[in-house]
Amino acid sequence: MGEFEFDVFLCHNSQDKPAVIEIANQLKANNINPWLDKWHLRPGSSWQDSLEDQIDQIRTAAVFVGNSGLGPWQIEEIKAFLRAFVNRKCPVIPVLLPNAPKEPKLPVFLQGLMWVDFREHDPEPLGQLIWGITGIKPDSPPLIRKKPPEEEKNKSSYQLKTFLFQTAQINNNGTEIKRITKNANYFGEDLGDDVTLEMVAIPGGTFIMGSPENEEGYHSSESPQHEVTVPPFFMGKYPVTQQQWRVVAALEKVNIDLKSDPSRFKGDNLPVERVSWNDAQEFCARLSRMANKTYRLPSEAEWEYACRGGTTTPFYCGETISTDLANYHGNYTYGQGQKGEYREKTTKVGIFPANPFGLYDMCGNVWEWCEDGLHENYINAPTDGSAWTSLSTEYMLLRGGSWYSGAWLCRAADRYWRSRDYRHDLYGFRVVSSFRTW
């Protein structure tokens, strides 16, 4: 498009990155070259230096506003660079994302500008954005990029059903439990041999990850608390069972061999254990190939978000927990809670109430491997729900506690780690599958 290397600088809140990336892909499909930090910012480099080097090679700027408003880095970009676009008399285009509030707050110098509104369909917003970038009003509808085959394949086989479940709330001293009936959507993945993997639809949302320093059982690795926006995804209703493991372990090898029956405690509907992070990755690879759908381990953020189920207390059920609600070492209490049963082994999945999202055994039974590597705290952690894999580490994260754990280790915020090849009868996993709603 002329003498400029890039057609538009995409200024956005990191919490809106999934939606902005999709719009960037749509622009590329229409022969427009956007500058996006995820694509053009070299790891280890300063975003200020990179933009200073390239700002004269960018034709226009678009400022995206979503439900979370302007992010702190976005505000810094506005202060440092967007005024340079204005001074050069280059267009600066306010863009309202589909989740933007009814009356969005815009910087003063943007308030008098015509915005592009992705909350509306008339006029067509992508065409409006292209007009703002190029100065040429499209005489035909813009090309809408088709979903990549991976996304289409994932979406095509979703046949959602609804199930009823009971969740629970417990009073602070653990003497009264209230059971509440709810419903959620799910789909079933046919693994063969009359074995099904049930995947629950987890709605996207924003939550506070980590724990406050005054929470009983707190560890410094759970700080600082930070806001994370998690896109929607599917998560296994239960930890992977031994029956499910056997079926997938019998599939053709992708990278490493898998034992068909690794667990100490035997039973089709018991969670598989004595599996390493590497084993779980191989399971996901075989399952993905068989199902023609991407399965993987959850990110830590996805796991904690799903475990909390919209709650902010140490456990989904309240300020304490009971062995009537989970399988953990009942001799160890939490808060004002009561001592309970110590079962000394795993229990069948699904025998305790589910959490508010319809997920079972998120507290206790087996620790669950996550995708993330070990970081000693949450400083500079991702805020978009993605796994934190930027460091090469031997140690990988586990969540949820186990049948052997004290109650404090079953908190939603608790973090544990082991080497990626470590196996123990305390460790299992559940899988997730991502999807998008744009």
Side-chain angles (χ1 to χ4, degrees), residues 58-319:
I58 304 174
R59 174 186 295 268
T60 61
V63 181
F64 291 87
V65 180
N67 185 54
S68 301
L70 299 177
W73 289 110
Q74 195 176 12
I75 292 172
E76 291 301 314
E77 289 172 348
I78 290 172
K79 291 178 180 178
F81 299 108
L82 290 191
R83 294 189 185 278
F85 283 97
V86 174
N87 293 337
R88 287 167 44 203
K89 297 185 178 180
C90 296
V92 176
I93 310 161
V95 181
L96 300 182
L97 292 168
N99 65 348
K102 184 176 181 181
E103 297 182 359
K105 294 182 180 179
L106 297 177
V108 173
F109 81 99
L110 293 179
Q111 289 179 4
L113 302 177
M114 290 293 294
W115 59 35
V116 174
D117 194 344
F118 276 83
R119 302 171 305 179
E120 304 292 338
H121 300 290
D122 186 18
E124 199 284 317
L126 183 61
Q128 293 292 106
L129 180 56
I130 292 172
W131 184 10
I133 294 169
T134 64
I136 302 172
K137 187 175 183 179
D139 55 9
S140 60
L143 174 66
I144 303 298
R145 182 185 70 97
K146 291 184 177 181
K147 297 286 190 297
E150 190 71 23
E151 293 180 19
E152 285 298 329
K153 115 185 147 180
N154 283 352
K155 188 174 180 181
S156 63
S157 59
Y158 294 151
Q159 296 182 4
L160 295 185
K161 302 177 183 178
T162 300
F163 71 99
L164 296 176
F165 63 91
Q166 281 198 331
T167 187
Q169 294 175 350
I170 192 169
N171 65 350
N172 286 356
N173 62 15
T175 57
E176 296 180 13
I177 295 174
K178 178 182 179 182
R179 295 177 185 263
I180 303 165
T181 299
K182 300 187 69 175
N183 65 74
N185 294 326
Y186 79 104
F187 74 88
E189 186 70 72
D190 183 5
L191 304 182
D193 295 339
D194 293 322
V195 179
T196 301
L197 174 67
E198 293 180 302
M199 301 293 294
V200 178
I202 307 300
T206 299
F207 80 113
I208 301 298
M209 186 172 181
S211 66
E213 294 183 10
N214 63 354
E215 183 171 291
E216 182 180 334
Y218 163 84
H219 186 271
S220 60
S221 65
E222 300 162 19
S223 287
Q225 286 187 287
H226 57 293
E227 191 174 88
V228 179
T229 298
V230 180
F233 63 101
F234 288 105
M235 191 173 212
K237 184 189 287 188
Y238 313 106
V240 171
T241 67
Q242 293 177 33
Q243 184 182 51
Q244 292 165 341
W245 173 271
R246 279 199 306 273
V247 173
V248 175
L251 299 174
E252 184 180 354
K253 170 180 171 179
V254 175
N255 294 306
I256 63 174
D257 294 325
L258 294 176
K259 292 182 178 179
S260 63
D261 187 20
S263 303
R264 172 189 173 190
F265 306 108
K266 306 297 184 183
D268 281 354
N269 292 320
L270 293 177
V272 69
E273 19 90 3
R274 285 183 172 171
V275 291
S276 68
W277 185 89
N278 290 335
D279 295 333
Q281 293 287 347
E282 175 69 15
F283 179 96
C284 291
R286 296 188 191 187
L287 175 58
S288 297
R289 185 166 63 184
M290 181 277 294
N292 196 33
K293 184 189 285 95
T294 301
Y295 284 95
R296 57 178 174 80
L297 293 178
S299 70
E300 265 202 290
E302 289 172 328
W303 194 98
E304 184 172 329
Y305 172 75
C307 179
R308 291 185 179 278
T311 66
T312 58
T313 47
F315 308 94
Y316 82 83
C317 52
E319 296 288 346

Side-chain angles (χ1 to χ4, degrees), residues 47-60:
W47 65 267
Q48 294 98 329
D49 292 343
S50 295
L51 271 180
E52 285 176 1
D53 291 341
Q54 295 180 310
I55 193 167
D56 289 336
Q57 296 301 314
I58 304 174
R59 174 186 295 268
T60 61

Side-chain angles (χ1 to χ4, degrees), residues 383-403:
T383 59
D384 61 357
S386 60
W388 200 2
T389 56
S390 58
L391 291 179
S392 176
T393 177
E394 177 62 22
Y395 293 92
M396 312 308 290
L397 269 295
L398 297 119
R399 291 300 201 107
S402 74
W403 58 269

